[in-house]
Amino acid sequence: MAYQLHYWPTIQGRGEFVRLALEAAGAAYVDVAREPPAKGGGESALMRKLGDPDNPRPSFAPPFLVDGDVVVGQTAAILLYLGPRLGLAGVGELDALWTHQIQLTVADAVAEVHDTHHPISTGLYYEDQRDAALERAKAFRDERIPKFFHWFERILQRNPAGDVHLVGDSLSYADLSLFQLVAGLRYAFPKATARALAHTPAIVKLYANVARRQRVHDYLQSPRRISFNEEGIFRAYPELDG
């Protein structure tokens, strides 16, 4: 049975981290909200499942994954569930836990990216909080991007199996998520990200290695890969890049 991924159909957002894992593993899945209503898809199907009164463990918000009777919400939890099943969580319990820890740190970075353009309230438009966004983005560019990248760089350098992967000697969902984080930052903060990447060559190498993996490459070139846009988490507001 194919996995059912429930996420907004017009943005990459947090759902993209799950899409990348499913695509890289060649797993059968349905991106439900992107399917036509005639096939049981669309945003209405997503919302029906999200509000299912018979689910005793409802998700707070998309993304959430349905696998038979199992419903898992939150990107990091979805990947924790999928990782061993897709062969993307290293070998053994300690590797799986380490992969999850890295993913949680990626999630921290993603939350900070979001807060650069919505530093006051998610209920306000960017234009309503632009001054605060300018200040928040400067701190993120100058302090937080380098700090996150330095940590990921150290992980790669200290990996006993070599600096090709974050966990062990094979692809993990942590690699895919770091790839997505870098891709998003290159879109939203191209100048600041280029400066940080100039000091983190192992991240640059990992990014290139992930991008040329056949299944990932094919996905990135396909219509299944939604383009970055100013509705998602990573938004290209030139004034925020300094």
Side-chain angles (χ1 to χ4, degrees):
M1 182 180 295
Y3 295 108
Q4 294 180 12
L5 173 63
H6 291 259
Y7 196 62
W8 309 116
T10 59
I11 60 172
Q12 291 186 20
R14 292 175 175 84
E16 192 66 14
F17 296 94
V18 182
R19 291 186 186 115
L20 276 169
L22 292 165
E23 291 281 351
Y29 77 100
V30 178
D31 204 338
V32 175
R34 299 182 71 189
E35 291 289 301
K39 292 186 177 181
E43 283 193 41
S44 59
L46 181 158
M47 296 307 295
R48 281 196 305 273
K49 192 66 177 178
L50 183 63
D52 182 1
D54 295 323
N55 179 12
R57 298 175 178 176
S59 300
F60 178 72
F64 58 94
L65 183 87
V66 177
D67 180 21
D69 294 332
V70 177
V71 181
V72 187
Q74 294 284 3
T75 301
I78 295 169
L79 292 171
L80 179 66
Y81 176 79
L82 284 176
R85 291 166 173 78
L86 301 181
L88 293 175
V91 179
E93 182 182 13
L94 290 181
D95 273 4
L97 183 61
W98 179 224
T99 308
H100 182 53
Q101 180 179 330
I102 296 170
Q103 183 64 41
L104 289 172
T105 307
V106 170
D108 288 343
V110 170
E112 292 194 27
V113 171
H114 173 271
D115 288 350
T116 61
H117 52 78
H118 278 74
I120 298 175
S121 170
T122 58
L124 297 174
Y125 290 110
Y126 164 66
E127 291 75 16
D128 297 325
Q129 49 196 316
R130 189 166 177 263
D131 290 344
L134 290 169
E135 186 174 350
R136 184 66 174 264
K138 183 180 188 306
F140 181 72
R141 293 193 315 264
D142 297 346
E143 301 167 19
R144 302 301 288 169
I145 292 177
K147 186 169 185 176
F148 279 115
F149 277 19
H150 178 65
W151 187 75
F152 292 122
E153 184 78 4
R154 277 190 294 153
I155 291 173
L156 288 163
Q157 292 173 345
R158 294 181 186 182
N159 184 354
D163 65 358
V164 177
H165 299 289
L166 288 163
V167 180
D169 61 359
S170 61
L171 183 74
S172 71
Y173 66 79
D175 295 329
L176 295 162
S177 292
L178 180 54
F179 166 85
Q180 176 64 10
L181 177 63
V182 172
L185 289 172
R186 279 179 158 170
Y187 175 78
F189 298 96
K191 292 186 288 186
T193 303
R195 290 194 297 269
L197 289 174
H199 300 285
T200 51
I203 293 178
V204 175
K205 183 169 70 172
L206 178 144
Y207 182 92
N209 287 341
V210 170
R212 64 171 164 256
R213 294 185 71 93
Q214 192 62 57
R215 285 174 177 156
V216 175
H217 174 270
D218 292 347
Y219 169 63
L220 296 176
Q221 302 303 313
S222 77
R224 296 190 304 281
R225 171 74 163 184
I226 301 168
S227 298
F228 288 109
N229 59 60
E230 277 55 68
E231 296 178 1
I233 293 171
F234 299 99
R235 302 188 184 188
Y237 299 128
E239 64 271 21
L240 298 187
D241 196 22

